[in-house]
Amino acid sequence: MRTRRLAAAASLAALAALTLASCTPGAAASETAAAIAPELGDDQQVDIVFESYNLSQAGAWTDTVQQLIAEFEAAHPNISVTGQAPQGTSAANSSYTSSVQTQLLAGDPPDVAQLTFDSLEFAATQLGAKPLSDIVSAEELEAAFGGEHPMHPNARVLADWDGKTIGMPYVFSTPVLFFNADALAAAGIEDPDFSTWDSVEAIAQQVTAATGKPSLDVNCVVTGGNWCMQGLFRSNGARVLSDDRSTIEFGSEQAVDTVERFARMTEDGVLRNVDAAAQMEGLATGDVAMVLTTSAVQGMLLQGAEAGGWTLDAAAMPGFGDAEAVPTNSGSALFVLSEDPAEQRASWEFIEFMTSDRAYELITSQIGYLPLRPSLTEEGGALADWLAANPLAQPNLDQLDRLEPWVSYPGNSYAQVDELLAEAIENVVFYGEPAEETMRDAAERAQALIE
């Protein structure tokens, strides 16, 4: 399993290096001159391309995005939107920027791109993302964030860069601990306490004793879960990057202690050693009883619970000791890449719709992502009845108030930094390598990549 994971990471690193070597960096977003895109004429027909990684995910993800595109086009008959998945086969975050880079080199990038927050600096400085605060007026931008159901203040700043709004926060979640309540009850656990990792391990040990197999998956400690691992580090007093963005810090004593905590769970036989793809299926198929992962899989898990005849429940991300957990976000923002003013205006109108009350009504109820306009879930809001019928979404909503951002690494090698960290964590957690030496070596190698 380890060989397969590292081979995949190496392939991604090679692709990123090849693309970067051949790409002429675009002007930094902060250096672009403000040029408000003019309003479209009533008979001005504009075609735009929207690249979304959700369109590479079958089921609720693709269906919801396509429904939103159709609704937007019906309301804007002069704007035609072509939705496309990222070019290439990889589903890793670095492939999203590689896809855009490849199209930039060919002179035909998508007009709007959904990119994950770990690529924020890269999108702003290398991909030529146009600051939204340049192409629309301050009043328009504020109106888009506000309205009857304003975007949560912790969400609206996630795609800010160098004092400007580079992208519009779009879809994300916080880490949620989903569990099979029936499996826990069968092991004698009726009212589980998931407040700390000590209590989680005690529950997992009891379930494992009853089933004879590991009972817990943690998405944060496998490749692809670094967004979530940042939350575990922060919850235990560690950081991955200094506040001034100059120093890698995941080799610190607190970071080492965090990784060692999960290595002990593996040694105790309660934490399962599988990759992210297998974790997507584990709870639904009964291979584990608990998983800490993104709420974006909530819809899939509900379907699995219904098909399997068991009860799905959820809890907030556990903390370490007496300290409150610090959730970080997964997910993405929408960026405008077009150079043409008419396409920029059409792209803005599309982005405005895709982050509207109506969009989050569908995105939350059909997929499980957080409604970034949380008052939609309050009395009179479009999601009030949905939340009443789906109370397991409440931990995800509550964590929005404590949210800290998924940190992007500086420089062109941000994806390789993530790969170094993921490899180090897996080597310690699953393969018994010494935590202090492994994490500090990874931090030193990452430091060289950002300097």
Side-chain angles (χ1 to χ4, degrees):
M1 180 179 301
R2 179 185 176 194
T3 301
R4 291 198 302 271
R5 294 184 196 167
L6 297 187
S11 298
L12 286 173
L15 173 62
L18 177 63
T19 309
L20 285 168
S22 61
C23 182
T24 301
S30 60
E31 296 174 357
T32 60
I36 303 299
E39 295 280 355
L40 298 178
D42 292 339
D43 59 350
Q44 187 175 4
Q45 188 67 39
V46 181
D47 299 336
I48 60 172
V49 174
F50 171 42
E51 183 157 302
S52 167
Y53 61 77
N54 288 135
L55 289 171
S56 64
Q57 300 166 298
W61 293 276
T62 291
D63 293 345
T64 302
V65 173
Q66 289 178 335
Q67 179 180 350
L68 287 169
I69 289 174
E71 290 190 12
F72 173 79
E73 289 181 325
H76 300 77
N78 62 325
I79 302 175
S80 176
V81 180
T82 299
Q84 67 180 30
Q87 310 301 291
T89 58
S90 173
N93 296 348
S94 59
S95 73
Y96 310 148
T97 53
S98 295
S99 171
V100 171
Q101 283 180 303
T102 300
Q103 294 169 84
L104 277 169
L105 289 170
D108 191 25
D111 299 286
V112 179
Q114 176 190 8
L115 299 172
T116 48
F117 288 107
D118 60 327
S119 61
L120 175 61
E121 177 177 327
F122 192 79
T125 62
Q126 300 299 311
L127 296 182
K130 306 300 182 288
L132 299 180
S133 51
D134 282 356
I135 65 175
V136 300
S137 68
E139 292 76 15
E140 284 183 279
L141 188 60
E142 186 59 34
F145 280 124
E148 183 180 359
H149 301 285
M151 190 171 287
H152 194 288
N154 286 347
R156 63 174 291 170
V157 298
L158 290 177
D160 286 4
W161 183 258
D162 197 22
K164 294 188 175 184
T165 301
I166 299 298
M168 180 68 84
Y170 175 45
V171 293
F172 66 77
S173 74
T174 60
V176 175
L177 200 155
F178 293 102
F179 61 97
N180 182 332
D182 295 342
L184 269 61
I189 304 167
E190 296 288 351
D191 187 20
D193 172 16
F194 291 115
S195 59
T196 70
W197 284 107
D198 287 341
S199 59
V200 170
E201 182 168 14
I203 291 168
Q205 287 174 335
Q206 191 168 335
V207 176
T208 292
T211 63
K213 60 184 181 181
S215 54
L216 174 66
D217 282 341
V218 176
N219 180 255
C220 319
V221 298
V222 301
T223 297
N226 282 350
W227 69 273
C228 171
M229 192 67 203
Q230 289 189 15
L232 295 182
F233 281 143
R234 290 291 296 115
S235 299
N236 201 29
R239 293 181 179 273
V240 295
L241 188 67
S242 62
D243 287 339
D244 65 3
R245 300 182 57 77
S246 67
T247 306
I248 296 292
E249 294 191 344
F250 52 69
S252 69
E253 180 180 347
Q254 297 94 328
V256 169
D257 180 73
T258 306
V259 177
E260 285 180 328
R261 182 70 186 84
F262 292 93
R264 290 196 296 273
M265 289 189 186
T266 300
E267 294 170 2
D268 292 344
V270 302
L271 184 64
R272 194 169 65 132
N273 179 7
V274 297
D275 62 18
Q279 287 189 358
M280 289 279 286
E281 305 290 339
L283 187 59
T285 57
D287 291 327
V288 293
M290 298 163 282
V291 58
L292 182 73
T293 188
T294 169
S295 72
V297 301
Q298 177 180 301
M300 183 188 71
L301 293 177
L302 284 168
Q303 291 175 355
E306 183 177 356
W310 52 274
T311 304
L312 179 69
D313 207 340
M317 184 175 74
F320 290 82
D322 296 331
E324 189 173 46
V326 181
T328 45
N329 60 282
S330 65
S332 59
L334 301 180
F335 298 88
V336 174
L337 302 177
S338 176
E339 299 287 347
D340 179 79
E343 292 171 354
Q344 289 177 353
R345 171 57 65 173
S347 296
W348 164 251
E349 292 188 16
F350 178 67
I351 287 173
E352 194 175 21
F353 175 78
M354 293 296 284
T355 56
S356 66
D357 293 0
R358 172 58 177 168
Y360 286 119
E361 178 186 351
L362 297 183
I363 287 167
T364 299
S365 62
Q366 296 180 181
I367 298 177
Y369 284 119
L370 268 172
L372 303 194
R373 301 178 184 276
S375 62
L376 286 167
T377 64
E378 298 172 359
E379 184 177 355
L383 290 169
D385 291 343
W386 176 86
L387 182 61
N390 295 273
L392 58 82
Q394 193 62 54
N396 200 24
L397 278 166
D398 292 342
Q399 290 183 145
L400 188 52
D401 291 334
R402 305 197 310 276
L403 182 74
E404 291 197 7
W406 180 8
V407 174
S408 66
Y409 296 106
N412 293 348
S413 299
Y414 73 93
Q416 290 92 319
V417 173
D418 252 345
E419 289 162 10
L420 283 172
L421 175 57
E423 178 183 344
I425 291 169
E426 287 191 353
N427 285 342
V428 174
V429 172
F430 297 120
Y431 304 109
E433 295 194 8
E436 183 173 352
E437 178 183 341
T438 303
M439 295 300 294
R440 290 186 177 174
D441 176 68
E444 290 174 2
R445 294 165 65 192
Q447 185 67 40
L449 289 174
I450 70 169
E451 291 180 345

